[in-house]
Amino acid sequence: MAIILSSQYKAEGIQFLTPSAYSQQLGYMNRPAGYKIQPHLHNVIARQVSLTQEVLIVKSGVVRVDFYSVNRIYLESAILSSGDIILLASGGHGFEILEDAEIVEVKQGPYSSDEDKIRFDGVDEEYIRINTMPDIS
């Protein structure tokens, strides 16, 4: 459903955290000063995207993300804080801003407004279950 990259995550080199089949790729790089990435271009390749996958970067604040199945059934929640990154890969999701937050969103385009999503009622607060972030290393 989602990959959460904690602000505390650290690994050597380059790590791609998504399967190569995902239409949105999430990678992590840790390189020393002086390391060079060779200049390059990306080839024009026709791709078919059938599901929007989003990446959210929490610049500041605290946000609760609630996860839902494709049948709109609440599953669990996670807390994101400043510096955390989440790739929303499948299923449904909703958010509550727990502390003033700045969030950067990256997703495929073009955006189709009302055609792009189905809105539904979220879980009642009394049923919220917080799952600690899994270690993805």
Side-chain angles (χ1 to χ4, degrees), residues 16-65:
F16 271 88
L17 308 169
T18 49
S20 61
Y22 275 26
S23 61
Q24 191 79 36
Q25 295 292 302
L26 182 61
Y28 169 88
M29 284 187 237
N30 180 1
R31 302 292 193 195
Y35 185 91
K36 293 185 179 184
I37 298 172
Q38 184 175 8
H40 59 282
L41 296 169
H42 292 272
N43 295 323
V44 175
I45 299 173
R47 293 176 169 93
Q48 182 175 349
V49 176
S50 56
L51 177 66
T52 301
Q53 293 183 331
E54 303 167 288
V55 173
L56 302 178
I57 303 157
V58 180
K59 285 184 61 177
S60 64
V62 179
V63 179
R64 188 187 76 223
V65 57

Side-chain angles (χ1 to χ4, degrees), residues 59-80:
K59 285 184 61 177
S60 64
V62 179
V63 179
R64 188 187 76 223
V65 57
D66 302 326
F67 298 106
Y68 297 84
S69 72
V70 294
N71 298 322
R72 305 178 200 170
I73 297 169
Y74 172 73
L75 302 171
E76 64 184 18
S77 300
I79 303 295
L80 305 176

